[in-house]
Amino acid sequence: VTSGGALGTPLFFMSALPIAIVTIGWGTLAGIAAVLAGLVGLWAFVSWKAALLHALVIAGPMAFYGYLVGLGRPLDAEGRNFEWYPLGRIFTAMVLITAATIVGVGVVIGFNIEATASDVADLLVAMGQASGELGAPTREDLMPALLLYMRLMPFALGMFWLVLTAFNLWLGGRIVRLSGRLKRGDDLIAETLSLPMWMAGVFVAAALLAGLDGSLGLIAGVVAGAAGMGFAMVGFAVLHVFVRGN
């Protein structure tokens, strides 16, 4: 990411995958060691802010999800059969933690809709002037659309980050299963993916509050985006089961 290379952004988005593989395949202590290794490495070669951001937003949550995936209690004295932590509860934790981490980052770095839209407009106008194109949009032309985009950004970020996190956890589990180190049984994801009913109330309340101006509206937008995408994923799972059954 810092070098600006073509692989920088994809590698950043997949940076939680090694944490998922290590935690699911080798246990919680190994996952914690991986988080600390990433923290030290980023601190040494990038910056302490990047290190803390990665640990608290990406590596730490993924290690926790990996811990939940491997959490189970034996059903017999020999320890051959286990009752594993329900997939629906893991997904619920993922929705809540996704929203919380994004809100936390926003509080730390600050996010102002008008200021951000103004900065982007200035950048786009400067790029248009440098290209020498005739009829390039002015700052006044760009601001209405940019304000709308910035207003929708909390929704989009909550939705995108939940999907990305779920994908990394799923892929990590698949890789560990291929290696033969996955102790958890083969979850029927489409049949067991769920969210509790009270999460619907959280989504509705957040969606209503997201229309407010100021910090409360931005926070509500993140929560509504994460919860809404969570229910969308559950809906796709139900649709998958229905289509497969027919």
Side-chain angles (χ1 to χ4, degrees):
V1 176
T2 57
S3 65
L7 292 177
T9 299
L11 288 176
F12 170 74
F13 288 152
M14 301 297 290
S15 62
L17 178 59
I19 306 296
I21 294 173
V22 170
T23 309
I24 297 173
W26 281 266
T28 304
L29 291 179
I32 294 174
V35 173
L36 293 177
L39 176 66
V40 173
L42 287 173
W43 199 311
F45 295 103
V46 183
S47 69
W48 67 270
K49 291 183 179 179
L52 289 177
L53 182 67
H54 184 268
L56 296 176
V57 177
I58 299 176
M62 184 56 72
F64 178 66
Y65 305 142
Y67 159 74
L68 293 180
V69 169
L71 185 63
R73 58 184 179 183
L75 298 177
D76 51 47
E78 294 78 14
R80 296 178 180 177
N81 299 305
F82 283 82
E83 180 184 5
W84 299 103
Y85 196 76
L87 185 63
R89 293 188 181 181
I90 299 175
F91 191 54
T92 301
M94 188 179 296
V95 172
L96 296 176
I97 293 175
T98 295
T101 52
I102 294 175
V103 170
V105 172
V107 170
V108 172
I109 67 175
F111 180 74
N112 183 279
I113 292 178
E114 289 75 15
T116 306
S118 179
D119 292 341
V120 174
D122 292 339
L123 177 62
L124 293 176
V125 169
M127 292 173 60
Q129 292 174 348
S131 66
E133 284 188 36
L134 296 177
T138 64
R139 193 175 187 279
E140 289 70 24
D141 296 331
L142 294 170
M143 280 301 292
L146 287 175
L147 286 172
L148 177 61
Y149 293 153
M150 295 302 125
R151 198 73 182 84
L152 295 176
M153 184 178 292
F155 292 94
L157 190 55
M159 296 167 66
F160 170 75
W161 202 254
L162 178 67
V163 172
L164 182 65
T165 303
F167 174 75
N168 278 319
L169 184 63
W170 170 83
L171 184 58
R174 298 298 297 179
I175 293 173
V176 174
R177 180 177 297 282
L178 290 175
S179 72
R181 295 193 61 90
L182 185 64
K183 297 179 181 179
R184 186 181 179 108
D186 190 9
D187 285 293
L188 301 175
I189 297 177
E191 285 85 348
T192 56
L193 191 68
S194 63
L195 288 173
M197 288 301 299
W198 58 261
M199 187 66 76
V202 172
F203 169 69
V204 172
L208 293 175
L209 292 174
L212 300 177
D213 294 327
S215 300
L216 181 59
L218 296 176
I219 293 172
V222 172
V223 176
M229 179 52 70
F231 279 111
M233 294 172 69
V234 172
F236 286 134
V238 173
L239 181 61
H240 174 74
V241 173
F242 177 78
V243 173
R244 186 176 60 187
N246 289 273

